[in-house]
Amino acid sequence: MAEIKDPENTVIIELKDGPVVIELLPDVAPKHAERMKELARAGKYDNVAFHRVIEGFMAQTGDVEHANMENNYNPGRAGTGGSDLPDLPAEFSRLPHDRGTLGAARSMNPNSANSQFFINFKDNHFLNGQYTVYGRVIEGMEHVDKIARGEPPANPDRMISVKVAADVE
């Protein structure tokens, strides 16, 4: 596995094809990094579908309210929900939306990010300054590339588990 420099700010997402290691960026977007760890530690991201996956663009997931494939999964509403925690203020930075970066999904309101996020399949610089970047894939991007496409996919892939590296033995 990748060398994990800061286990407290590293998240491991288990996908069907293998683990994806994400380095969170608390120095850039502290509230977003903290929220991801809080939801991961509560098990909220486990079994959540990738509900919007666009070829050559990104894979979106994290709707803990409607997209848990083991608990009240609602494909018609997947992508419309969040967590029971308050929305987060935007934490825009100069970091570009490069391949493998993690962006906070939100509604038209820049301060509406909650639990949903996306992983960029390629450099998507048109998103720069409009969506919070708060992590980057440091290993396992080849697994992200295999996520089923669709809006929503006919047979969506899911995050099997999401853990903070500091909690994994």
Side-chain angles (χ1 to χ4, degrees):
M1 196 171 283
E3 181 189 348
I4 294 175
K5 298 180 184 83
D6 181 1
E8 180 55 31
N9 288 297
T10 304
V11 172
I12 302 166
I13 301 175
E14 194 65 44
L15 299 181
K16 71 179 187 323
D17 293 304
V20 178
V21 181
I22 296 172
E23 174 184 64
L24 296 175
L25 305 169
D27 51 328
V28 174
K31 290 178 173 68
H32 286 76
E34 193 55 44
R35 173 65 53 87
M36 181 158 213
K37 293 189 298 184
E38 183 177 357
L39 292 171
R41 285 189 161 125
K44 298 287 189 186
Y45 282 134
D46 297 354
N47 294 304
V48 172
F50 283 89
H51 64 271
R52 183 170 174 247
V53 186
I54 303 171
E55 182 65 43
F57 181 30
M58 57 88 217
Q60 185 172 333
T61 184
D63 180 347
V64 301
E65 185 177 359
H66 301 298
N68 183 324
M69 296 179 74
E70 299 294 321
N71 184 13
N72 297 324
Y73 178 54
N74 185 336
R77 299 215 42 210
T80 65
S83 72
D84 54 5
L85 301 169
D87 288 347
L88 295 169
E91 294 179 295
F92 298 151
S93 69
R94 296 193 181 278
L95 277 184
H97 281 265
D98 287 340
R99 173 173 163 77
T101 54
L102 201 70
R106 60 170 177 79
S107 70
M108 294 302 285
N109 177 348
N111 299 312
S112 64
N114 189 292
S115 62
Q116 293 188 47
F117 63 92
F118 57 90
I119 302 171
N120 289 292
F121 286 132
K122 68 177 191 70
D123 294 355
N124 290 313
H125 293 172
F126 67 94
L127 299 173
N128 293 353
Q130 299 179 60
Y131 293 83
T132 300
V133 174
Y134 65 102
R136 65 171 63 94
V137 174
I138 58 172
E139 185 178 295
M141 195 61 197
E142 68 276 15
H143 306 315
V144 174
D145 288 334
K146 294 178 185 170
I147 294 170
R149 304 318 198 245
E151 298 181 72
N155 294 299
D157 285 321
R158 69 180 78 184
M159 296 185 287
I160 297 165
S161 71
V162 181
K163 305 234 181 306
V164 177
D167 303 340
V168 179
E169 296 194 15

